[in-house]
Every structure is written in C-alpha cells, then in structure tokens.
Amino acid sequence: MPRDQKPSNSLIYGPVPSRRLGRSLGVDLVPYKTCTYDCIYCQIGPTPKTTITRKSYTDPELIMAELKARLEEGAAPDYITLGGSGEPCLHSEIGQIILEIKKISSFPVAVLTNGSLLWDPDVQKALGPADVVLPSLDCHNPEAFAQINRPHAGISFEKMISGLEEFRKKYTGKLWLEIFIVSGINDTLDAMEAFKAHLKRISPDRIHLNTAVRPTAEKSAVMVPADKLQILANAIDPKAEVVAEFVQASRSQIRKDMEAEILDMLMRRPCTASDIAAGLGLREDAVMRKMAQLTNAGQVETKQSNGRIYYFRAPAS
C-alpha cells in the first residue's frame, strides 16, 4: 500500500507514544492527509490538496464500534485522542463522536488539531465536551504562516488567530498550545516577541515548543537544537516548556498481532524502535528483531534523521 493511503480497515491505532499525552489511543476521523494545511514539517508527508469542507468523512457508528472493541481488548491509554492522519475538525460529526466516547469510557478525550477551523461556531461548540484541546500556532505573522503552514486559501492568518481567541473565550476545558519551531523561519527572539501579543489574546493553559525530530515533508523544515529551543521557550513565556521526548511506560501489554499493530503505527507516523516499544508495551529487543524481519521482507523502510533511525511503511510493489 502506498504511503499516501491509510489502511481502510483501521480507524483506531495505538496506544502510541506522545510527548505531550503519554500513551495516546488514536482515533482517525478523516481520510489520510485530508487537511486544511500543507505544513512543511508534517511527519507523514505533503497534503495533496488542502480543503476546508466539513462533512461526515467516516461513519461515526463504525468509528465507535472499532473503538469499543479496542477498549474491550484491554487498551489502557492516558488519553483517547482524536487526531491521526488529517485534521479531525473537518469531520462534521466530531462533537457527537466526543459525546459517544464519553458514554463508553472514562479515559479523558483530547483533540489534536492544527487550530485552523476554530473560527467556525459549529467547531467551537463541537469541541466543548473535550477534556483537552491541543491546537497549533506556528507563526507570528502572515508571511511565516504562508511559509510554514501553507494553508487553504480560505484561511487567513488573522482568521486563524481570531478563531483561537474566540474558542478560548467559550471553551472551559484545558487548552494546550503547540508552537512548532523551524530553523530560519520562526526561531528568533524577535519572533518570540511577536508571539507574545498572540498568546495574550489566546491565553492557553500550557505552551509547548516543538521542533522537527522526525523526518519532515520538506527538507527545509530543519530542527532547532535543544539548547536554543529552551532559550526561545524562556523568552516567549514563563510557562512555556520544551516538549520532552516520550519516556517509555513501565506497563507491559501483550498484543495479539504485533506485526499488524507496528505496520498500522508506521502508516501514520515514522517511528524509532523505542517509539514502537513504548507505544505497544513491548520489549525493545523484540521490536528490533521484528523490524529486521519486516525490513528484510520489504514491508518497512528506514531513514536516518537527527542521529536516529526511523521506520516507515514501505510502498506496495
């Protein structure tokens, strides 16, 4: 299967390691790379065509049936996360899906969004029941917005910023804002100063600074070193923090089909062996043996980035 397609029979994935949410059980609401942005740093590749059309991309009943089955198998995440391989707020029934999840599970619900549709009153209302919403704000001005996020023509910089502000006024849950720092674009102290005015308007509960630690859609999306990232975090806001690498959970879980789950993870994001081990509750040496088998079989490819080896799902022959 080509990397630009997601498995048609898998809407639930993980738990996968998340540097902000711990063990995250993902729920994919839209088809692969259905997004409002074409971010240069995206870890799953470029967006073929951006969209702002909201509709019921995937049957909510099917989503809930798969999620219920996964929970009954014993999945014990820190969060159930609506995100995956596209922009989840494009799903017109995301609000009902959040409510249905809360009926069948006590795990907190997180929405991982790029924040581009928060100006829409329907989206604002839909996300209200979520426990935590994690939007992005990568740019301090329209020029950087165009350069980093490459948005759909229907989303202006001010529209996006105003949407974040309006959503914050109405939303009573936790708002954790991520700023993705790209070397040479938004990695200066002047940029941090410009961000401050936007942050004052949005008033997030947490501010997370991130950078490209995995392979990106464009080679121009270059990682900012950890020491510089910390300097930028200190400059932007006292509560800003550099997102730490995920620490492997101590709990161990047995999977019925380790190979299928590994391939499912890799379809959505490139991972290191330690990522896979942490996300699936497996020993890293067992994962390494399995990755060698999958690589030799041509099902997995590798790429080195920032001194680490990442595994990808290989295109179908």
mmCIF file of all heavy atoms in Angstrom, residues 106-143:
data_model
loop_
_atom_site.group_PDB
_atom_site.id
_atom_site.type_symbol
_atom_site.label_atom_id
_atom_site.label_comp_id
_atom_site.label_asym_id
_atom_site.label_seq_id
_atom_site.Cartn_x
_atom_site.Cartn_y
_atom_site.Cartn_z
ATOM 1 N N SER A 106 -14.127 6.121 30.507
ATOM 2 C CA SER A 106 -13.773 7.151 31.492
ATOM 3 C C SER A 106 -12.429 7.804 31.177
ATOM 4 O O SER A 106 -12.001 8.710 31.888
ATOM 5 C CB SER A 106 -13.715 6.530 32.892
ATOM 6 O OG SER A 106 -12.735 5.505 32.951
ATOM 7 N N PHE A 107 -11.759 7.344 30.104
ATOM 8 C CA PHE A 107 -10.489 7.952 29.729
ATOM 9 C C PHE A 107 -10.741 9.365 29.183
ATOM 10 O O PHE A 107 -11.691 9.586 28.428
ATOM 11 C CB PHE A 107 -9.773 7.121 28.670
ATOM 12 C CG PHE A 107 -9.384 5.743 29.140
ATOM 13 C CD1 PHE A 107 -9.946 4.622 28.561
ATOM 14 C CD2 PHE A 107 -8.460 5.580 30.167
ATOM 15 C CE1 PHE A 107 -9.598 3.347 28.991
ATOM 16 C CE2 PHE A 107 -8.098 4.311 30.602
ATOM 17 C CZ PHE A 107 -8.677 3.189 30.018
ATOM 18 N N PRO A 108 -9.918 10.324 29.548
ATOM 19 C CA PRO A 108 -10.118 11.690 29.050
ATOM 20 C C PRO A 108 -9.947 11.757 27.529
ATOM 21 O O PRO A 108 -9.167 11.007 26.943
ATOM 22 C CB PRO A 108 -9.043 12.500 29.772
ATOM 23 C CG PRO A 108 -8.023 11.504 30.194
ATOM 24 C CD PRO A 108 -8.755 10.232 30.457
ATOM 25 N N VAL A 109 -10.698 12.669 26.916
ATOM 26 C CA VAL A 109 -10.678 12.830 25.463
ATOM 27 C C VAL A 109 -9.879 14.073 25.091
ATOM 28 O O VAL A 109 -10.128 15.165 25.609
ATOM 29 C CB VAL A 109 -12.106 12.939 24.892
ATOM 30 C CG1 VAL A 109 -12.073 13.205 23.388
ATOM 31 C CG2 VAL A 109 -12.893 11.664 25.192
ATOM 32 N N ALA A 110 -8.914 13.896 24.197
ATOM 33 C CA ALA A 110 -8.106 15.003 23.689
ATOM 34 C C ALA A 110 -8.365 15.177 22.197
ATOM 35 O O ALA A 110 -8.638 14.198 21.490
ATOM 36 C CB ALA A 110 -6.623 14.729 23.923
ATOM 37 N N VAL A 111 -8.297 16.414 21.734
ATOM 38 C CA VAL A 111 -8.424 16.697 20.301
ATOM 39 C C VAL A 111 -7.135 17.354 19.846
ATOM 40 O O VAL A 111 -6.773 18.433 20.321
ATOM 41 C CB VAL A 111 -9.618 17.604 19.992
ATOM 42 C CG1 VAL A 111 -9.688 17.900 18.493
ATOM 43 C CG2 VAL A 111 -10.923 16.951 20.462
ATOM 44 N N LEU A 112 -6.443 16.689 18.947
ATOM 45 C CA LEU A 112 -5.179 17.180 18.409
ATOM 46 C C LEU A 112 -5.474 17.851 17.067
ATOM 47 O O LEU A 112 -5.742 17.185 16.071
ATOM 48 C CB LEU A 112 -4.207 16.018 18.233
ATOM 49 C CG LEU A 112 -2.733 16.327 18.025
ATOM 50 C CD1 LEU A 112 -2.163 17.068 19.223
ATOM 51 C CD2 LEU A 112 -1.966 15.028 17.800
ATOM 52 N N THR A 113 -5.469 19.184 17.054
ATOM 53 C CA THR A 113 -5.904 19.949 15.888
ATOM 54 C C THR A 113 -4.878 20.998 15.500
ATOM 55 O O THR A 113 -4.124 21.483 16.352
ATOM 56 C CB THR A 113 -7.260 20.635 16.168
ATOM 57 O OG1 THR A 113 -7.574 21.535 15.090
ATOM 58 C CG2 THR A 113 -7.248 21.418 17.461
ATOM 59 N N ASN A 114 -4.869 21.368 14.233
ATOM 60 C CA ASN A 114 -3.976 22.456 13.824
ATOM 61 C C ASN A 114 -4.576 23.826 14.139
ATOM 62 O O ASN A 114 -3.927 24.854 13.929
ATOM 63 C CB ASN A 114 -3.593 22.338 12.346
ATOM 64 C CG ASN A 114 -4.781 22.437 11.402
ATOM 65 O OD1 ASN A 114 -5.813 23.021 11.712
ATOM 66 N ND2 ASN A 114 -4.622 21.867 10.210
ATOM 67 N N GLY A 115 -5.812 23.863 14.625
ATOM 68 C CA GLY A 115 -6.434 25.110 15.056
ATOM 69 C C GLY A 115 -6.984 25.974 13.941
ATOM 70 O O GLY A 115 -7.500 27.068 14.195
ATOM 71 N N SER A 116 -6.944 25.493 12.726
ATOM 72 C CA SER A 116 -7.306 26.326 11.578
ATOM 73 C C SER A 116 -8.798 26.566 11.424
ATOM 74 O O SER A 116 -9.212 27.483 10.702
ATOM 75 C CB SER A 116 -6.776 25.683 10.295
ATOM 76 O OG SER A 116 -7.361 24.399 10.094
ATOM 77 N N LEU A 117 -9.636 25.756 12.077
ATOM 78 C CA LEU A 117 -11.088 25.869 11.913
ATOM 79 C C LEU A 117 -11.801 26.357 13.174
ATOM 80 O O LEU A 117 -13.025 26.321 13.250
ATOM 81 C CB LEU A 117 -11.677 24.513 11.492
ATOM 82 C CG LEU A 117 -11.229 23.978 10.132
ATOM 83 C CD1 LEU A 117 -11.762 22.567 9.917
ATOM 84 C CD2 LEU A 117 -11.701 24.893 9.001
ATOM 85 N N LEU A 118 -11.048 26.852 14.141
ATOM 86 C CA LEU A 118 -11.666 27.253 15.409
ATOM 87 C C LEU A 118 -12.465 28.551 15.295
ATOM 88 O O LEU A 118 -13.150 28.939 16.237
ATOM 89 C CB LEU A 118 -10.602 27.375 16.501
ATOM 90 C CG LEU A 118 -9.907 26.057 16.875
ATOM 91 C CD1 LEU A 118 -8.885 26.276 17.969
ATOM 92 C CD2 LEU A 118 -10.917 24.998 17.295
ATOM 93 N N TRP A 119 -12.420 29.206 14.159
ATOM 94 C CA TRP A 119 -13.272 30.376 13.909
ATOM 95 C C TRP A 119 -14.717 29.979 13.613
ATOM 96 O O TRP A 119 -15.629 30.804 13.682
ATOM 97 C CB TRP A 119 -12.728 31.182 12.717
ATOM 98 C CG TRP A 119 -12.402 30.330 11.526
ATOM 99 C CD1 TRP A 119 -11.191 29.794 11.211
ATOM 100 C CD2 TRP A 119 -13.305 29.887 10.497
ATOM 101 N NE1 TRP A 119 -11.261 29.048 10.058
ATOM 102 C CE2 TRP A 119 -12.550 29.098 9.598
ATOM 103 C CE3 TRP A 119 -14.653 30.092 10.239
ATOM 104 C CZ2 TRP A 119 -13.106 28.505 8.468
ATOM 105 C CZ3 TRP A 119 -15.218 29.503 9.115
ATOM 106 C CH2 TRP A 119 -14.451 28.724 8.242
ATOM 107 N N ASP A 120 -14.926 28.704 13.296
ATOM 108 C CA ASP A 120 -16.259 28.194 12.936
ATOM 109 C C ASP A 120 -17.063 27.928 14.212
ATOM 110 O O ASP A 120 -16.652 27.105 15.034
ATOM 111 C CB ASP A 120 -16.099 26.904 12.125
ATOM 112 C CG ASP A 120 -17.414 26.373 11.573
ATOM 113 O OD1 ASP A 120 -18.474 26.629 12.177
ATOM 114 O OD2 ASP A 120 -17.372 25.692 10.537
ATOM 115 N N PRO A 121 -18.214 28.588 14.403
ATOM 116 C CA PRO A 121 -19.019 28.368 15.612
ATOM 117 C C PRO A 121 -19.410 26.912 15.809
ATOM 118 O O PRO A 121 -19.503 26.441 16.955
ATOM 119 C CB PRO A 121 -20.249 29.251 15.397
ATOM 120 C CG PRO A 121 -19.787 30.315 14.458
ATOM 121 C CD PRO A 121 -18.797 29.642 13.547
ATOM 122 N N ASP A 122 -19.643 26.185 14.723
ATOM 123 C CA ASP A 122 -20.001 24.768 14.846
ATOM 124 C C ASP A 122 -18.840 23.960 15.416
ATOM 125 O O ASP A 122 -19.051 23.049 16.231
ATOM 126 C CB ASP A 122 -20.402 24.206 13.483
ATOM 127 C CG ASP A 122 -21.731 24.752 12.979
ATOM 128 O OD1 ASP A 122 -22.532 25.218 13.822
ATOM 129 O OD2 ASP A 122 -21.962 24.727 11.764
ATOM 130 N N VAL A 123 -17.621 24.279 15.008
ATOM 131 C CA VAL A 123 -16.442 23.587 15.540
ATOM 132 C C VAL A 123 -16.237 23.960 17.005
ATOM 133 O O VAL A 123 -15.950 23.104 17.843
ATOM 134 C CB VAL A 123 -15.191 23.930 14.709
ATOM 135 C CG1 VAL A 123 -13.935 23.340 15.359
ATOM 136 C CG2 VAL A 123 -15.335 23.409 13.285
ATOM 137 N N GLN A 124 -16.406 25.214 17.336
ATOM 138 C CA GLN A 124 -16.269 25.661 18.718
ATOM 139 C C GLN A 124 -17.221 24.888 19.634
ATOM 140 O O GLN A 124 -16.821 24.417 20.707
ATOM 141 C CB GLN A 124 -16.553 27.160 18.810
ATOM 142 C CG GLN A 124 -15.543 28.034 18.084
ATOM 143 C CD GLN A 124 -15.958 29.494 18.043
ATOM 144 O OE1 GLN A 124 -16.937 29.881 18.676
ATOM 145 N NE2 GLN A 124 -15.222 30.308 17.300
ATOM 146 N N LYS A 125 -18.458 24.752 19.208
ATOM 147 C CA LYS A 125 -19.462 24.038 20.003
ATOM 148 C C LYS A 125 -19.132 22.553 20.089
ATOM 149 O O LYS A 125 -19.244 21.934 21.156
ATOM 150 C CB LYS A 125 -20.843 24.239 19.405
ATOM 151 C CG LYS A 125 -21.952 23.553 20.170
ATOM 152 C CD LYS A 125 -23.314 23.823 19.535
ATOM 153 C CE LYS A 125 -24.439 23.115 20.293
ATOM 154 N NZ LYS A 125 -25.758 23.367 19.652
ATOM 155 N N ALA A 126 -18.689 21.977 18.973
ATOM 156 C CA ALA A 126 -18.417 20.544 18.919
ATOM 157 C C ALA A 126 -17.302 20.136 19.875
ATOM 158 O O ALA A 126 -17.346 19.067 20.487
ATOM 159 C CB ALA A 126 -18.055 20.140 17.495
ATOM 160 N N LEU A 127 -16.285 20.990 20.016
ATOM 161 C CA LEU A 127 -15.140 20.632 20.856
ATOM 162 C C LEU A 127 -15.365 20.934 22.335
ATOM 163 O O LEU A 127 -14.536 20.571 23.174
ATOM 164 C CB LEU A 127 -13.888 21.378 20.379
ATOM 165 C CG LEU A 127 -13.419 21.118 18.947
ATOM 166 C CD1 LEU A 127 -12.041 21.743 18.718
ATOM 167 C CD2 LEU A 127 -13.393 19.634 18.621
ATOM 168 N N GLY A 128 -16.475 21.552 22.653
ATOM 169 C CA GLY A 128 -16.757 21.922 24.033
ATOM 170 C C GLY A 128 -16.635 20.790 25.038
ATOM 171 O O GLY A 128 -16.054 20.975 26.123
ATOM 172 N N PRO A 129 -17.141 19.582 24.772
ATOM 173 C CA PRO A 129 -17.076 18.492 25.759
ATOM 174 C C PRO A 129 -15.701 17.843 25.907
ATOM 175 O O PRO A 129 -15.509 17.024 26.809
ATOM 176 C CB PRO A 129 -18.084 17.470 25.212
ATOM 177 C CG PRO A 129 -18.935 18.220 24.240
ATOM 178 C CD PRO A 129 -18.042 19.247 23.651
ATOM 179 N N ALA A 130 -14.751 18.141 25.034
ATOM 180 C CA ALA A 130 -13.424 17.522 25.123
ATOM 181 C C ALA A 130 -12.721 17.952 26.410
ATOM 182 O O ALA A 130 -12.895 19.073 26.883
ATOM 183 C CB ALA A 130 -12.576 17.898 23.906
ATOM 184 N N ASP A 131 -11.912 17.059 26.964
ATOM 185 C CA ASP A 131 -11.179 17.369 28.196
ATOM 186 C C ASP A 131 -10.000 18.296 27.932
ATOM 187 O O ASP A 131 -9.667 19.142 28.767
ATOM 188 C CB ASP A 131 -10.692 16.072 28.846
ATOM 189 C CG ASP A 131 -11.846 15.202 29.295
ATOM 190 O OD1 ASP A 131 -12.466 15.523 30.314
ATOM 191 O OD2 ASP A 131 -12.150 14.215 28.592
ATOM 192 N N VAL A 132 -9.351 18.108 26.801
ATOM 193 C CA VAL A 132 -8.221 18.964 26.435
ATOM 194 C C VAL A 132 -8.193 19.114 24.922
ATOM 195 O O VAL A 132 -8.418 18.157 24.189
ATOM 196 C CB VAL A 132 -6.878 18.407 26.972
ATOM 197 C CG1 VAL A 132 -6.623 17.001 26.473
ATOM 198 C CG2 VAL A 132 -5.716 19.304 26.586
ATOM 199 N N VAL A 133 -7.967 20.338 24.470
ATOM 200 C CA VAL A 133 -7.793 20.621 23.048
ATOM 201 C C VAL A 133 -6.375 21.136 22.853
ATOM 202 O O VAL A 133 -5.910 22.016 23.589
ATOM 203 C CB VAL A 133 -8.826 21.645 22.549
ATOM 204 C CG1 VAL A 133 -8.547 22.031 21.094
ATOM 205 C CG2 VAL A 133 -10.240 21.093 22.694
ATOM 206 N N LEU A 134 -5.684 20.567 21.855
ATOM 207 C CA LEU A 134 -4.280 20.895 21.619
ATOM 208 C C LEU A 134 -4.121 21.480 20.215
ATOM 209 O O LEU A 134 -3.785 20.778 19.261
ATOM 210 C CB LEU A 134 -3.399 19.649 21.767
ATOM 211 C CG LEU A 134 -3.415 18.934 23.120
ATOM 212 C CD1 LEU A 134 -4.488 17.856 23.158
ATOM 213 C CD2 LEU A 134 -2.056 18.321 23.432
ATOM 214 N N PRO A 135 -4.360 22.787 20.067
ATOM 215 C CA PRO A 135 -4.188 23.413 18.756
ATOM 216 C C PRO A 135 -2.750 23.860 18.529
ATOM 217 O O PRO A 135 -1.941 23.911 19.470
ATOM 218 C CB PRO A 135 -5.120 24.626 18.838
ATOM 219 C CG PRO A 135 -5.083 25.001 20.285
ATOM 220 C CD PRO A 135 -4.865 23.725 21.066
ATOM 221 N N SER A 136 -2.452 24.180 17.279
ATOM 222 C CA SER A 136 -1.133 24.685 16.925
ATOM 223 C C SER A 136 -1.197 26.171 16.606
ATOM 224 O O SER A 136 -2.208 26.674 16.132
ATOM 225 C CB SER A 136 -0.585 23.938 15.700
ATOM 226 O OG SER A 136 -0.433 22.561 15.964
ATOM 227 N N LEU A 137 -0.096 26.859 16.863
ATOM 228 C CA LEU A 137 0.109 28.232 16.413
ATOM 229 C C LEU A 137 1.596 28.332 16.089
ATOM 230 O O LEU A 137 2.416 28.590 16.957
ATOM 231 C CB LEU A 137 -0.279 29.251 17.489
ATOM 232 C CG LEU A 137 0.052 30.711 17.139
ATOM 233 C CD1 LEU A 137 -0.737 31.168 15.919
ATOM 234 C CD2 LEU A 137 -0.232 31.625 18.324
ATOM 235 N N ASP A 138 1.936 28.124 14.840
ATOM 236 C CA ASP A 138 3.337 28.026 14.457
ATOM 237 C C ASP A 138 3.931 29.337 13.971
ATOM 238 O O ASP A 138 5.149 29.425 13.800
ATOM 239 C CB ASP A 138 3.500 26.985 13.337
ATOM 240 C CG ASP A 138 2.961 25.625 13.735
ATOM 241 O OD1 ASP A 138 3.145 25.245 14.904
ATOM 242 O OD2 ASP A 138 2.363 24.953 12.879
ATOM 243 N N CYS A 139 3.078 30.336 13.746
ATOM 244 C CA CYS A 139 3.539 31.515 13.029
ATOM 245 C C CYS A 139 3.201 32.800 13.765
ATOM 246 O O CYS A 139 2.133 32.934 14.354
ATOM 247 C CB CYS A 139 2.931 31.545 11.636
ATOM 248 S SG CYS A 139 3.190 29.978 10.761
ATOM 249 N N HIS A 140 4.109 33.749 13.682
ATOM 250 C CA HIS A 140 3.944 35.034 14.349
ATOM 251 C C HIS A 140 3.476 36.128 13.399
ATOM 252 O O HIS A 140 3.157 37.228 13.841
ATOM 253 C CB HIS A 140 5.265 35.446 15.001
ATOM 254 C CG HIS A 140 6.426 35.475 14.045
ATOM 255 N ND1 HIS A 140 6.932 34.327 13.466
ATOM 256 C CD2 HIS A 140 7.167 36.503 13.560
ATOM 257 C CE1 HIS A 140 7.942 34.653 12.678
ATOM 258 N NE2 HIS A 140 8.096 35.970 12.713
ATOM 259 N N ASN A 141 3.435 35.836 12.087
ATOM 260 C CA ASN A 141 2.954 36.816 11.121
ATOM 261 C C ASN A 141 2.452 36.100 9.867
ATOM 262 O O ASN A 141 2.677 34.884 9.703
ATOM 263 C CB ASN A 141 4.056 37.832 10.769
ATOM 264 C CG ASN A 141 5.296 37.182 10.181
ATOM 265 O OD1 ASN A 141 5.229 36.189 9.474
ATOM 266 N ND2 ASN A 141 6.462 37.751 10.476
ATOM 267 N N PRO A 142 1.759 36.810 8.971
ATOM 268 C CA PRO A 142 1.196 36.167 7.777
ATOM 269 C C PRO A 142 2.242 35.528 6.872
ATOM 270 O O PRO A 142 1.980 34.494 6.242
ATOM 271 C CB PRO A 142 0.483 37.325 7.069
ATOM 272 C CG PRO A 142 0.153 38.288 8.152
ATOM 273 C CD PRO A 142 1.303 38.213 9.115
ATOM 274 N N GLU A 143 3.417 36.127 6.797
ATOM 275 C CA GLU A 143 4.460 35.589 5.926
ATOM 276 C C GLU A 143 4.918 34.215 6.404
ATOM 277 O O GLU A 143 5.054 33.278 5.595
ATOM 278 C CB GLU A 143 5.644 36.562 5.878
ATOM 279 C CG GLU A 143 5.362 37.886 5.184
ATOM 280 C CD GLU A 143 4.502 38.835 5.996
ATOM 281 O OE1 GLU A 143 4.495 38.716 7.249
ATOM 282 O OE2 GLU A 143 3.841 39.699 5.387
#
